[in-house]
Amino acid sequence: MTFAGLLDSIGGMGRFQIIQVALLAIPMLMTASHHLLQNFSAAVPGHHCQIHVTANTTQGTNATHGLSAKDLLRISIPMDGDWEPEKCHRFVTTQWQLLNPNATVPNGTEMETEPCMDGWTYDKSVFTNTIIMEWNLVCNLRTHGQMAQSIYMAGVLVGALVFGSLADRFGRKALLSWSYLQMAVTGTCTAFSPNFTAYCIFRFLVGMALSGVVLNCVSLVVEWVPTKIRTITSMVVGYSATIGQIVLAGLAYALPDWRWLQFTTSVPFFIFFLYSWWFAESARWLVLSGKPDRAVQVLKKVAQINRKKEEGDKLDTEVLKSNMQKEMGLAQSSHTLYSLVRTPKVRRISCCIASVWLATSFAFYGLAMDLQNFGFNIYLIQVAFGSIDIPAKLGATIGMSFIGRRITQAASVILAGLAILANIFVPRELKTLRTSLAVLGKGCLASSFNCLYLYTGELYPTVIRKRARNLMNEEQREKILLQTAGPAMLQES
């Protein structure tokens, strides 16, 4: 009997597994919110220079008292090609003559402008406060908002490297609890950041913690449920992240100040940290780490919760070791990254899978992290982008079950590519059609992710499967990091 058979004998998908999967899935709601939080906390509202009125020999500043806000804007701020106020320049001197609608400017005459010297005025009809508004990250500092997102994704990458290896050394449960605590503390500190530098540092640490949460959550789910139930439980965890995208839209609408939004999405992790101590450490990891006695204790606890106490009492270290001889033998084998390219067949698999991970992650986050450019209500766009994942992931699950992994995977990325490329030929005025194509593309990319997580593990031999998954996850985060440096570029293409 293998470990899977042993797990079935103490309850299979019993009460313990149901409770643990549910408690692991709930935090995934908030991790999805953190991942896309900067769509709202770093949103760029409409803005223009502070109005600066200068007096001359015929007009005084008292003349402004009878002027409307529109007239003040007209004489103080130049208009761009779309007849909107310039965002980064103002007139050096007040152009009083523009108050006369019949006034004309002589040919060759240029009204001198200057950069915003006294700050900016922001449109607060949608967001009352964002990091862009608070620290004036516009005009010559406009790239700082994108840089903050890149720093966060760098934290996600570093977290995958650090917490992935530490989990193999110290256990999934301990690292998951630490990740919850780090997410809670650094996320809350982010909400109270005194300046942009502190904000970036805390967001980097939040990104690291997010990787620790996701990696160890998936490990504990997979290593405690029967093999035949893994697809369903993975779908449950995936749908939790999907619902989190929709919840984020509601939270952002209710909390238009970025500090309150950041605080609200971070505080629940203190609760997750407190109840995480109830989780059972992976018995597989305990045995493979040379701790069979603790593994027996954990399995007996699980058997008792599943009302299989008699079966649990029969367990001892010798029984456990005899059931896991094959897995222990494989664990002793040494495999490196070279194992992924050593033979022609495995090398071909690695190249193909890596290219699909690159395309899917680059396009997915390029769409999901740049909602403002669609020109619609950002909250509705977030709901649409989250909702499309529900039928998309269900379709991927059904497709993999009935028509196979390869056809489902290929169809997902091809349809996504066609939907995104079609936007090149759609005029910018047709916002509804452009947005619909983007939502369709994002849904297909979600299907692709659903296939990839399963397909990557199944294509590789068992002995190098874990190494392959870690490599693909790290590559995905590297591409996201590069992509977030300029998300508008992908939106245009």
Side-chain angles (χ1 to χ4, degrees):
M1 184 169 59
T2 62
F3 182 80
L6 182 63
L7 198 60
D8 286 333
S9 70
I10 60 171
M13 192 64 186
R15 285 201 307 168
F16 165 79
Q17 280 79 5
I18 293 173
I19 294 172
Q20 177 143 312
V21 169
L23 293 179
L24 287 167
I26 292 172
M28 294 299 289
L29 288 168
M30 307 312 295
T31 56
S33 296
H34 272 281
H35 219 37
L36 303 174
L37 189 66
Q38 203 162 300
N39 273 328
F40 303 96
S41 62
V44 183
H47 57 277
H48 59 74
C49 297
Q50 288 273 16
I51 291 177
H52 170 67
V53 178
T54 59
N56 56 31
T57 55
T58 60
Q59 300 282 151
T61 56
N62 290 334
T64 62
H65 293 313
L67 297 180
S68 66
K70 184 177 180 180
D71 288 336
L72 279 173
L73 197 62
R74 184 178 183 186
I75 63 178
S76 303
I77 309 295
M79 298 294 166
D80 61 18
D82 297 325
W83 290 100
E84 295 291 333
E86 283 275 0
K87 292 180 171 57
C88 302
H89 292 87
R90 68 182 184 183
F91 292 126
V92 174
T93 58
T94 305
Q95 303 299 314
W96 299 100
Q97 73 276 11
L98 296 180
L99 290 174
N100 183 357
N102 298 321
T104 58
V105 179
N107 291 334
T109 301
E110 292 187 4
M111 291 174 281
E112 189 178 359
T113 62
E114 64 182 359
C116 301
M117 306 297 292
D118 303 314
W120 288 261
T121 298
Y122 295 98
D123 178 6
K124 296 187 177 182
S125 60
V126 179
F127 303 99
T128 59
N129 189 29
T130 69
I131 65 170
I132 305 299
M133 300 161 67
E134 185 161 333
W135 294 310
N136 290 322
L137 305 179
V138 292
C139 298
N140 61 323
L141 298 179
R142 64 185 180 275
T143 58
H144 282 46
Q146 295 175 351
M147 182 180 71
Q149 182 64 23
S150 295
I151 290 173
Y152 166 78
M153 294 308 301
V156 175
L157 172 62
V158 173
L161 297 171
V162 173
F163 288 125
S165 59
L166 289 179
D168 287 336
R169 187 173 182 180
F170 298 106
R172 285 81 165 101
K173 176 183 172 180
L175 264 294
L176 181 60
S177 296
W178 172 263
S179 298
Y180 284 152
L181 181 61
Q182 180 174 323
M183 180 79 86
V185 172
T186 58
T188 303
C189 289
T190 303
F192 295 97
S193 299
N195 51 55
F196 180 68
T197 301
Y199 174 85
C200 290
I201 293 172
F202 287 129
R203 281 287 285 171
F204 177 87
L205 295 174
V206 168
M208 285 187 64
L210 183 135
S211 282
V213 170
V214 173
L215 290 174
N216 291 288
C217 169
V218 172
S219 294
L220 284 177
V221 169
V222 169
E223 293 174 5
W224 268 117
V225 300
T227 305
K228 60 184 178 182
I229 308 295
R230 284 180 186 172
T231 302
I232 297 175
T233 53
S234 296
M235 187 173 68
V236 169
V237 175
Y239 272 132
S240 180
T242 296
I243 295 172
Q245 297 179 48
I246 302 172
V247 169
L248 174 61
L251 288 175
Y253 182 79
L255 303 168
D257 188 305
W258 77 268
R259 290 186 182 273
W260 280 109
L261 180 60
Q262 178 72 47
F263 181 78
T264 303
T265 56
S266 301
V267 166
F269 283 92
F270 284 110
I271 300 174
F272 305 149
F273 167 71
L274 292 177
Y275 77 58
S276 67
W277 295 103
W278 178 86
F279 294 148
E281 180 59 272
S282 169
R284 294 174 186 264
W285 176 83
L286 288 171
V287 174
L288 298 178
S289 299
K291 302 174 183 178
D293 293 334
R294 282 187 56 194
V296 170
Q297 294 175 5
V298 171
L299 288 168
K300 287 184 176 182
K301 173 187 173 183
V302 171
Q304 185 173 5
I305 296 174
N306 286 342
R307 298 175 181 173
K308 297 285 186 179
K309 189 175 184 302
E310 292 183 3
E311 286 77 2
D313 290 339
K314 298 176 184 177
L315 293 176
D316 56 34
T317 56
E318 295 302 322
V319 172
L320 190 58
K321 289 180 179 179
S322 64
N323 290 332
M324 295 189 63
Q325 284 182 358
K326 182 178 179 181
E327 291 172 281
M328 293 174 68
L330 291 174
Q332 294 173 359
S333 302
S334 176
H335 296 279
T336 64
L337 292 177
Y338 176 67
S339 302
L340 301 178
V341 295
R342 186 169 53 189
T343 65
K345 186 173 182 179
V346 174
R347 184 163 54 246
R348 181 166 60 89
I349 290 173
S350 298
C351 291
C352 291
I353 287 293
S355 64
V356 178
W357 272 105
L358 165 62
T360 302
S361 58
F362 193 96
F364 182 93
Y365 289 100
L367 292 174
M369 290 181 175
D370 195 32
L371 302 186
Q372 275 195 300
N373 276 349
F374 289 104
F376 278 100
N377 183 296
I378 190 171
Y379 304 110
L380 294 180
I381 291 292
Q382 180 63 56
V383 171
F385 268 42
S387 301
I388 192 63
D389 285 9
I390 297 175
K393 290 179 178 179
L394 178 61
T397 302
I398 295 173
M400 287 189 293
S401 300
F402 291 96
I403 63 176
R405 275 65 159 151
R406 183 171 63 173
I407 295 177
T408 304
Q409 179 69 77
S412 297
V413 291
I414 290 172
L415 287 175
L418 291 175
I420 296 173
L421 288 173
N423 265 337
I424 296 176
F425 306 101
V426 178
R428 298 188 66 85
E429 295 76 21
L430 301 177
K431 294 181 180 179
T432 302
L433 179 57
R434 288 175 62 86
T435 303
S436 299
L437 288 171
V439 171
L440 174 62
K442 197 262 186 180
C444 293
L445 292 167
S447 296
S448 178
F449 269 135
N450 228 35
C451 298
L452 275 173
Y453 279 110
L454 183 61
Y455 205 16
T456 300
E458 291 179 339
L459 282 176
Y460 285 101
T462 303
V463 292
I464 61 172
R465 184 174 297 157
K466 183 179 178 182
R467 176 74 63 178
R469 277 179 171 161
N470 287 341
L471 176 64
M472 298 308 165
N473 283 335
E474 291 164 13
E475 176 177 329
Q476 176 195 8
R477 287 164 176 79
E478 287 175 358
K479 303 311 177 186
I480 297 168
L481 172 61
L482 293 173
Q483 178 271 323
T484 52
M489 176 183 67
L490 180 64
Q491 183 62 39
E492 288 298 319
S493 62

